[in-house]
Each structure stands twice: as C-alpha cells, then as structure tokens.
Amino acid sequence: MSDEGIEVWAVRHGPTEWSRNGRHTGRTDIPLTDEGEAEALAAKWRLDAVDFDLRLVSPLRRARRTAELAGVSDPEVEPLVREWDYGDLEGMTRAEIRERLGVPDWSVWRSEVVGGESLDEVAARADEVVALLRERTRERALVVAHGHFLRILAVRWCGLDAVLAEHLELEPARISVLGTDRGTPTIRSWNG
C-alpha cells in the first residue's frame, strides 16, 4: 500500500518521577509512577478497537511498560525510537541547565546538548523511522516512545525542519495520529 492511507499512532509513555519534575530523561531507564501506570492503562480503551499491522516500542522500560499496560500485543523493540540522548544534561531541568551553562535562554531545540545528541542527529533517527514506517506499514502503525522524539517524528513525517517540534506540546500517555491528505503528510490529531 502507498503511504496515502497509512496512519501512524504515536503514544508517549506515561509519567515518570522525572517527567513530572521537568527533568530531561533520555537514556536513564526509570519506571512509570503509579499515576503513569494508571494513565497507560487508561489508553488501552482507545487502542483496543484499533488494528495495527506494525507495533514499535522504545527499548526503555517506561515505554515498554506503557505499551504493556495499554494492551499492545507483541510490539517490536526498536532502538531508533528511543528518547534524545541528553548527555551531560541528563536528569536536569531547563532552569538547572541554564544556570550550570550560564546560558539564560538555553533550549534543547536551539542550543548545544553537551555530551549528547544534536537535534540533527535525533532528526536523522526520526527520518529512519519515517522510512521504516512507510516501507513496512500496510494500513496502521503504532509507535510507543518518548516526548521529544515523537515531536520530532511528527514534524519529520511532514517533511518539516526538526526545530519546529518545539511548537508541539505532548503530555505523558497521550495519543497522536499522523496521516496523509491527498499526498501531503499531515498531523491528524495531536496530544489527545
């Protein structure tokens, strides 16, 4: 099938202690909070009625547990959909990073991520995922992953510059849908 009819459902993992506190959580493999488990379980009713011919999940346990609680059967663990590697800034809030680096307007979208991946590197991974989705999806795919990565995936799906992802909010345990309208990649729904 061409990508005209393909839908990609993107699910952000449920809340963790660090996401609740605004800490950059990339490679640190922390669990969902009790609230995160409940929110992941609540996503099940929306996903139960949908058939996915491709199901991808990040290797990090917060995403895998979200998929499990949401009733996603036999997802493929896909390292390409892991979260941004924040390097030396891992576990820090934006305010802490700004103070530590002495950069009052520091932003993950427009500033250096010391010791971690650049925005361009994360966008390149997202491009690989877009190609994989378009190649392997017959009708509908599911990706259970992380906030910053899924935001970048959405804008790259649409062929837009990765920095535009800063304009998309994505709360924990929310479901978004990407699609195509008359040959143009679209964001059908976001942060739902």
Side-chain angles (χ1 to χ4, degrees), residues 132-152:
L132 181 151
L133 290 166
R134 289 187 169 141
E135 176 184 318
R136 294 188 49 208
T137 304
R138 292 184 309 276
E139 292 183 34
R140 194 172 295 110
L142 175 69
V143 179
V144 182
H146 312 275
H148 281 158
F149 180 79
L150 291 174
R151 291 163 69 177
I152 294 167

Side-chain angles (χ1 to χ4, degrees), residues 15 26 38 40 61 70 81 97 105 107 114 127 130 146 154 158-159 163 165 168 186 191:
R61 71 177 163 167
V81 304
I97 293 167
D105 63 347
S107 161
V114 180
D127 288 345
V130 167
H146 312 275
C158 293
V163 74
L168 296 175
T186 62
N191 204 28

Side-chain angles (χ1 to χ4, degrees), residues 50-113:
V50 182
D51 291 324
F52 297 102
D53 52 80
L54 179 63
R55 294 168 303 283
L56 304 177
V57 65
S58 164
L60 297 170
R61 71 177 163 167
R62 58 192 181 269
R64 288 184 292 115
R65 181 68 173 149
T66 296
E68 176 187 350
L69 290 168
V72 178
S73 61
D74 300 320
E76 294 179 38
V77 174
E78 177 51 69
L80 288 170
V81 304
R82 72 189 183 282
E83 182 60 295
W84 196 326
D85 180 348
Y86 302 113
D88 299 347
L89 309 178
E90 180 80 6
M92 299 175 70
T93 66
R94 185 179 341 182
E96 290 169 341
I97 293 167
R98 287 174 172 177
E99 183 178 328
R100 176 180 169 193
L101 298 179
V103 179
D105 63 347
W106 183 92
S107 161
V108 72
W109 305 106
R110 299 181 181 274
S111 304
E112 179 185 4
V113 178

